[in-house]
Amino acid sequence: MNDLIGDVVRLALEEDLGPGGDVTSEAIFGPHDLAKAFVVSRESLVVAGLDVAARVYAALDARVHFRPLCADGDQREAGQRLAEVAGPARGLWAGERTALNFLQRLSGIATLTRAFAKAIEGTGCRLLDTRKTSPGHRLLDKAAVRAGGGRNHRMGLFDGILIKDNHIAAAGSLAEAVTRARAGAHALLRIEVEVDSLAQLEEAMGLPVDIVLLDNMSIADLRLAVERRSVRKPGLLLEASGGVRLENVRAIAETGVDFISAGVLTHGARAVDIGLDAE
Amino acid sequence: MNDLIGDVVRLALEEDLGPGGDVTSEAIFGPHDLAKAFVVSRESLVVAGLDVAARVYAALDARVHFRPLCADGDQREAGQRLAEVAGPARGLWAGERTALNFLQRLSGIATLTRAFAKAIEGTGCRLLDTRKTSPGHRLLDKAAVRAGGGRNHRMGLFDGILIKDNHIAAAGSLAEAVTRARAGAHALLRIEVEVDSLAQLEEAMGLPVDIVLLDNMSIADLRLAVERRSVRKPGLLLEASGGVRLENVRAIAETGVDFISAGVLTHGARAVDIGLDAE
Amino acid sequence: MNDLIGDVVRLALEEDLGPGGDVTSEAIFGPHDLAKAFVVSRESLVVAGLDVAARVYAALDARVHFRPLCADGDQREAGQRLAEVAGPARGLWAGERTALNFLQRLSGIATLTRAFAKAIEGTGCRLLDTRKTSPGHRLLDKAAVRAGGGRNHRMGLFDGILIKDNHIAAAGSLAEAVTRARAGAHALLRIEVEVDSLAQLEEAMGLPVDIVLLDNMSIADLRLAVERRSVRKPGLLLEASGGVRLENVRAIAETGVDFISAGVLTHGARAVDIGLDAE
Amino acid sequence: MNDLIGDVVRLALEEDLGPGGDVTSEAIFGPHDLAKAFVVSRESLVVAGLDVAARVYAALDARVHFRPLCADGDQREAGQRLAEVAGPARGLWAGERTALNFLQRLSGIATLTRAFAKAIEGTGCRLLDTRKTSPGHRLLDKAAVRAGGGRNHRMGLFDGILIKDNHIAAAGSLAEAVTRARAGAHALLRIEVEVDSLAQLEEAMGLPVDIVLLDNMSIADLRLAVERRSVRKPGLLLEASGGVRLENVRAIAETGVDFISAGVLTHGARAVDIGLDAE
Amino acid sequence: MNDLIGDVVRLALEEDLGPGGDVTSEAIFGPHDLAKAFVVSRESLVVAGLDVAARVYAALDARVHFRPLCADGDQREAGQRLAEVAGPARGLWAGERTALNFLQRLSGIATLTRAFAKAIEGTGCRLLDTRKTSPGHRLLDKAAVRAGGGRNHRMGLFDGILIKDNHIAAAGSLAEAVTRARAGAHALLRIEVEVDSLAQLEEAMGLPVDIVLLDNMSIADLRLAVERRSVRKPGLLLEASGGVRLENVRAIAETGVDFISAGVLTHGARAVDIGLDAE
Amino acid sequence: MNDLIGDVVRLALEEDLGPGGDVTSEAIFGPHDLAKAFVVSRESLVVAGLDVAARVYAALDARVHFRPLCADGDQREAGQRLAEVAGPARGLWAGERTALNFLQRLSGIATLTRAFAKAIEGTGCRLLDTRKTSPGHRLLDKAAVRAGGGRNHRMGLFDGILIKDNHIAAAGSLAEAVTRARAGAHALLRIEVEVDSLAQLEEAMGLPVDIVLLDNMSIADLRLAVERRSVRKPGLLLEASGGVRLENVRAIAETGVDFISAGVLTHGARAVDIGLDAE
């Protein structure tokens, strides 16, 4: 099986340890020295990445035991313990930075997503991520979005059809692009089309399209789009995207679109502060 | 040879393309359709990551030619072209997101680093990165720091000795930790010790230590540290770290420390806005 | 990128050549001996696999040039040349068996698929493959089906939702299974449900389901299914599967179902006879 | 060690699961749901591939336990249980198709081989496979031949010398080809020569050749070949090949040849019907 | 294809370069600095390993051109140029040690083998290597033996049958061991048996054995072995092994054995002195 | 993590076992036959490589248990048992040669190193290895040097700066080379410079250099070098290299240099005699 998470874990350990390993810890700790430490939150955050932190230790030295003290998606405040790590001191400290690098970034994504998810609570609109994830971290970033309360858009280019302007230009028309997509892709894939005007939306509603992505439209236009959809093609799903921020996300949701997708959830999250404290 | 950058490029393509590839582009473009597009900056930024973007296309479809129109480290404004991409349309658009994900994040690091580097210009103090890089992107993130005008700290745990509190605790004393490190590591590695008080600095100055990392010290204490070093051990290098921000970095540099290391350069940078526009 | 075809080519060469290579050819041909040969059909067939045969030689010895003399999907009779192979004799003959093993099996699939496709010509029903492909050959087998005139069902478990009896049993009801699937999967995936009775079909038609797979139903029941669909849910797609043979495929198609999927296309095809003749 | 079977198992899972896994089962089963099922024969067959089916589950999710209820080589009738599979439902059903794809094809080879082996029972002639195996499945296909009662010819090009017409042409004569092979290969390898006429056999008998492959000869000629061998070179082994079918295999065996090799055992076997039934 | 030589080249570069590369050369040479150097013999030697040295540079930096000025197997004296290396200075010097480590060790094997080969010249006896090669260098070490004028024994455990005392003990008797080996292995493999007494040789001559390895026998016994063979089984091949040194190898060869195998050729060779001199 | 030792173990097994495995043992031992054997020293030696021998068996067949009866670094005489190996006979004997090839070579290095280390005992000078290790065996060879009582120089080109003549030539002067190295490399790496005359040493002492390697100097010059260092730059470390032999190593050490590095420890060691005796 294609273990993409295992691959990025190995890569992260490889770049930090090289052929020679942690020369400081090798020199200072004996091979049988044991240690115990706690992963501690240093600010308010939503946890994500506990599994991959555990895999860092499993790959580095399986005798180091990483025991989560909470679950992905949990809210934690500064000073709370997130996990216990115990085992040979050399391995425990050699893996510290790599495990924390994952936890800090993924919890950062979950924390930001939670804020967006709360902002639209009650509207019925669903918050989606995008493909603007850190290269090599797609599965992890998307799991962190789920931990924060968002939902996932397609995983990649292989499991969803999304027709954009360059496809339309190549096909000559939106109608032709949709025809080609329907003919070329297998029957279990829906077709989504990206439009940037109400006129394009009207055109899309005349075609066998399942979802329309409304790109960078004003709140007013989004409202009109929802209205026209109700009249002409009630089963059609609408997704708003472009310029989504904490300040405007609720207003967008209240237009009645089915989905809001926001690249900022993954490419705009900052790493939150998490440390590893020796007992 | 251990090609870590090639590995993360392959991983990024793999997670986006899966076994099935870009189903939309496969359906819409013919196998012989050609396309040409430009990587365009959508805001003011410092460029980084051109090489890895080129490698994305080399790995995905070697017939797609990625030609840089500037160099890593160049400042560019919104609307300027950074590179030209030309070749088979399927490959060109299939690689768009992956190439941009790299460019946006790495240019984000370079842009932030440039701001820090300018802030301390003329002080003689050098700006360093840390190991708080995105897992699997160590070499790329560190190259982006260099593009922005910073310098690199050690690459990983394997090519530098840095004694921290947990090492000192295990050894029983700083002196013993230094002794073990000197005995265990090969002669071409220097020894750096992390301290968080002037008292610890004094202790370190009595030992065969090459660099002292002053962790989370006040500006006043950093000044005192520099003074005492001048008196007692002029050859000793001093590095300040902890809580470094754009607002305080110049004040820290003006204390006379040799280096400032800042995790925020890599873990706090946001992705800058870069697009791929069809000609 | 995840090069599954490259992987199976390397595996095939590895098992045939081992660490020692083709000991006979190494002993008999000199390193600079050249040879030229033709891939020749020994029976009437539809060609498939030319690309992978070319990749066998590219992986084995890039100086051996494999030049197709026809295209995948072409019908050829006994004695016709399908490709020319030329280059160092050692590599040319070392790759013979591996290249032919691919060509014979894939052309076998294309040939059988062509027979099925012709049998249903004019009915408007589309012929689909299944996941019953040779392990490790999924992409190749599915390309051979296309070469023969069939179309592909989903690539694998990752790019399409197909709810079967064990899913329904676990969920407690078909309705609950569909609810979970719609909630858990991303919005760009359609939902297909497998049913084996008209009663189940009725139930499925009351749910947000896009396709129904009618498993092992009689021709009479398939006709009834098509009728009821027309009345109750005209947009619903119907797929017939189970026991599909050349003898009954047209009758099935004439019931009015949208798709017929047949595992036999890939797991029941025999290798056709193709040889490599020295010039 | 070079784990070719592990490689093809990983490849098979990779192509079916992609980066995203079994989206249907992930959505419907909970992470702790358990399931139990039985691998059941749906027709009369000779079992092969139990080990590789177990490895599919070991690679996919080691918590799914695959317990064989019979052994490779056993004859089983429709409705009999071949193995029990139990563990987490997600993994169990995600691996179903891949495990069955292996079992159906390998049991198909074993079943066909058993029929050939029975047909020549009592003649003293041994049934051999060829290198016409499914690419990437060489070790598995050859083990299935043994399970069916056949024996293996050389594993690949690396562990046996077989001189064919193109080698003879390159060397200028059979004698020269044999000389080169004997000089170039190490002493522990025998030399086999392929001939297609009695005249060539006579020539081969004058050379230091251990085995002669009689290609596509008539029954009458095979008998003559056996006779002449008895007279002139009793220690020489004779192998018949080409056009071997169930209908003529006994007649070939009764000519007195030592071996019959039949590509049809591996490239002509159809997949037998085997299912996975939930308890 | 299974590229074992490529694997060991990559491994050798990986252990020398780590993730960080040649930090000295990176710091001192510019990216566009060019250099030219010559591989120079510093003592009298037989050359081997030119191909793998070229592959070191191809893997490290394909712009560095390694041009052999002689061929494997050539005798060269101190001060003679063996190859020219030219290209970017960083890559040229980064690969120096790895390329030389291969050349020095492999030329050492070729040089020692040449001495043994000359010692037995004219006796008709052939000099063989063993499996006592440097782990991971089997193909290279065996090619160096050929360059020195020796011949190869089997490549590994997979392409030749050699029955030793532990096999005989397990089978209960030499006869039974031979029976099992003949039944279990395919027909293209010969059978060799290791014996350490003339009595065992007699027993072996009564069995279907192709070669006998006479282990650690005295010159006198070897002579007797050859005599008895001539009388009783003229086609049997005899191989002497054990304690073979330059001082006794001719005496052993003159006993009339067909082969002498000597582990010392590969495990006892010292690295010869070869340098890389800048132009 | 980058498991270089695992990689060379897999490579060594792969080259010996190929796709087909140990055909002799497979034919003669049953799958359930058990065996027990002892690794026995056949001459006086210092043990090294027990861990990698254990890994050979772990990789080949984890049911074969390798239990060390001594530790790396122990002195053992002819006939003493070094380890016990027990488990399935097929795996035990299939791994014999690979495990012994590692043990014989690594114990050879440890044994030779011990002789050198004893020769300089009491002088305060430390014995170092070089990068002249067997390609792919760097970590193992260096561990064997430590087992013998030596210490390691840098691991590779990535974790230490060593300026040689070609660097000086490219930079234009030693001073410029040191400046570039200091500017380009990170602060935790020391700088070593190779010189071959006292004049060059004087120049180096005027620069920010940490260690000087005195290449191929006479005993007299080495003594002068030590004297001048004491006078002018007492903190500078001196390393002697070139032409180090057991006969002259003590004289070199007595000059007062801090380190002696000797390539002969790894490239000049012969394999010691170790066998595997069935119980």
Side-chain angles (χ1 to χ4, degrees), chain D residues 151 159 183 186-188 190, chain E residues 151 159 182-183 186-188 190:
Chain D
R151 300 195 39 188
D159 66 343
H186 66 73
L188 287 180
R190 282 182 175 165
Chain E
R151 301 189 44 183
D159 66 344
R182 195 62 284 164
H186 67 71
L188 286 180
R190 281 182 176 166

Side-chain angles (χ1 to χ4, degrees), chain E residues 70-136:
Chain E
C70 60
D72 278 12
D74 285 353
Q75 169 86 31
R76 282 296 176 273
E77 304 310 315
Q80 283 189 286
R81 291 174 167 183
L82 310 183
E84 180 192 294
V85 196
R90 286 179 172 178
L92 189 153
W93 294 111
E96 174 190 18
R97 186 74 264 137
T98 301
L100 290 181
N101 281 347
F102 277 116
L103 281 169
Q104 291 179 317
R105 287 161 188 271
L106 294 170
S107 298
I109 290 173
T111 304
L112 183 62
T113 302
R114 179 68 48 89
F116 274 82
K118 289 210 163 160
I120 64 169
E121 224 165 24
T123 62
C125 178
R126 278 163 289 174
L127 179 67
L128 302 183
D129 54 23
T130 65
R131 288 166 49 242
K132 295 181 180 175
T133 52
S134 185

